[in-house]
């Protein structure tokens, strides 16, 4: 088992309380994205305690070049599939661009759809002090909220590209955002593409877990997009470590299948019915 968080004797799902307890124990944990039932099952059985149905689905599932185009309607069926495919992990639904920024009421309406229609256990949204009213409304309604600071991809057009955030003065702003999000009731905060020393200072300053992606080794947890981890992404960011070469492996398998169809070697008699 990769984490004592997961695999507690009960067989129940991981909860936000379990994540708080892991921080108390100083225990680090992994999080992965998932977008379908079969990969969710593999990651769940491998002991990943938290699965994120990321709006990165816009890019890795739907083929867009940013996360901006996807809607709640696009992500709901993927979230439902991940919940059905898993039995132990906490499933977090990423609120997509335009589904929460307008108002606390809009955020609650979107979060409620992910929880009622897909069975998500928590939601994630991007931003600091500008989304505090949304975080407070969700928490008041009993919705666990994961925050996300640093490189928040829904703001890519404001940033002028996918760039490291929180250097210099901006680091103090990020620290203040993180503390305010904790105060508003967020149960965890993702720190994406920020200097490692800043991520470590935020982690020691907060009681809630921090989850790093491109934020160094000092956070309480680490998250990656699963296609990056598996070596399916053609040009991954610097923070990615590929633990497999699935792109090449799938290419080999498909070429073998194609060659055997062409030659007549597949299907053999054992693959046919009499
Ligand atoms: N497959 C995938 N993996 C991700 O981690 C991911 C997505 N998609 N889509 C949504 C966002 C976008 N992300 C990105 C995308 C690009 C960089 C990138 O190219 N970063 C530069 C750093 C530039 C700098 O130094 O400021 C790099 O070279 O790593 C980083 C995060 C992270 N998220
Ligand atoms: C990379 C993670 C944190 C994310 O927000 C996503 O996959 O959409
Ligand atoms: Mg996201």
């Amino acid at each position: 088992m990769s984490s004592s968080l997961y695999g507690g004797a009960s067989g129940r799902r991981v909860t936000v309380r379990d994540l708080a307890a892991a921080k108390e124990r100083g225990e680090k944990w992994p999080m992965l994205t998932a977008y379908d039932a079969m990969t969710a099952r593999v990651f769940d059985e491998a002991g990943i305690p938290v699965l994120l149905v990321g709006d990165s689905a816009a890019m890795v599932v739907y083929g867009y070049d940013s996360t901006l185009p996807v809607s709640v309607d696009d992500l709901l069926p993927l979230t439902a599939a991940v919940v059905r495919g898993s039995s132990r992990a906490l499933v977090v639904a990423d609120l997509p661009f335009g589904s929460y920024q307008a108002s606390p009421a809009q955020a609650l309406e979107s979060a409620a759809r992910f929880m009622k229609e897909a069975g998500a256990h928590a939601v994630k949204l991007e931003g600091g002090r500008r989304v505090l009213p949304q975080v407070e409304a969700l928490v008041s309604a009993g919705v666990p909220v994961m925050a996300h600071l640093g490189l928040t991809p829904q703001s890519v057009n404001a940033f002028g590209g996918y760039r490291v955030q929180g250097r210099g003065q901006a680091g103090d702003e990020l620290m203040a955002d993180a503390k305010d999000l904790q105060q508003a009731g967020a149960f965890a905060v993702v720190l994406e593409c920020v200097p490692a020393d800043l991520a470590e200072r935020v982690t020691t300053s907060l009681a809630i877990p921090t989850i790093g992606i491109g934020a160094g080794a000092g956070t309480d947890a680490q998250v990656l997009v699963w296609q990056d981890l598996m070596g399916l992404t053609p040009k991954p960011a610097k923070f990615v470590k590929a633990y497999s070469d699935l792109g090449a492996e799938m290419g080999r398998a498909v070429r073998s299948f194609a060659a055997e169809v062409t030659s007549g070697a597949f299907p053999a008699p054992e693959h046919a019915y009499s």
Side-chain angles (χ1 to χ4, degrees):
M1 212 62 72
S2 72
S3 169
S4 73
L5 253 177
Y6 173 102
S10 65
R12 61 166 173 75
R13 286 206 194 245
V14 170
T15 67
V16 295
R17 294 183 69 231
D18 296 324
L19 303 178
K23 178 143 184 164
E24 294 269 313
R25 295 194 298 271
E27 182 183 320
K28 294 188 185 192
W29 47 274
M31 173 163 117
L32 276 180
T33 65
Y35 314 98
D36 66 81
M38 279 205 186
T39 52
R41 179 161 310 248
V42 171
F43 304 158
D44 193 71
E45 288 180 356
I48 300 294
V50 184
L51 296 176
L52 171 68
V53 186
D55 61 345
S56 50
M59 299 167 79
V60 300
V61 174
Y62 288 109
Y64 295 111
D65 64 5
S66 81
T67 60
L68 300 183
V70 284
S71 64
V72 172
D73 286 319
D74 292 326
L75 296 181
L76 273 173
L78 311 189
T79 307
V82 169
V83 172
R84 287 191 292 264
S86 60
S87 62
R88 310 295 295 279
L90 178 87
V91 177
V92 181
D94 224 357
L95 296 184
F97 179 62
S99 75
Y100 60 92
Q101 289 90 346
S103 66
Q106 188 198 28
L108 185 53
E109 188 182 327
S110 300
R113 288 196 69 197
F114 279 106
M115 300 180 86
K116 291 159 76 114
E117 298 177 39
H121 309 112
V123 301
K124 181 166 85 55
L125 48 70
E126 297 184 5
R129 282 162 288 182
R130 64 193 155 93
V131 295
L132 282 188
Q134 282 85 340
V135 174
E136 284 166 356
L138 292 169
V139 170
S140 297
V143 179
V145 177
M146 180 179 285
H148 184 162
L149 294 173
L151 197 182
T152 45
Q154 292 172 16
S155 299
V156 62
N157 294 300
F159 293 147
Y162 297 108
R163 333 174 150 274
V164 173
Q165 301 295 314
R167 286 196 173 127
Q169 190 84 68
D172 298 337
E173 294 292 310
L174 191 147
M175 176 68 83
D177 279 336
K179 287 178 173 167
D180 286 355
L181 286 162
Q182 168 173 280
Q183 181 62 31
F187 75 89
V189 56
V190 170
L191 301 175
E192 177 164 348
C193 289
V194 301
D197 67 316
L198 173 64
E200 192 174 341
R201 279 189 287 118
V202 172
T203 301
T204 55
S205 302
L206 294 189
I208 58 173
T210 60
I211 305 158
I213 174 166
T219 55
D220 298 302
Q222 295 288 331
V223 59
L224 284 174
V225 168
W226 80 258
Q227 289 89 349
D228 295 348
L229 164 96
M230 297 296 176
L232 277 164
T233 305
K235 281 191 212 134
K238 172 185 155 79
F239 59 76
V240 168
K241 178 174 176 182
Y243 287 82
S244 186
D245 193 9
L246 219 53
E249 189 55 39
M250 289 174 73
R252 274 193 288 278
V254 168
R255 282 185 184 80
S256 297
F257 168 67
E260 291 198 356
V261 169
T262 307
S263 72
F266 177 84
E270 66 265 31
H271 304 122
Y273 302 94
S274 53

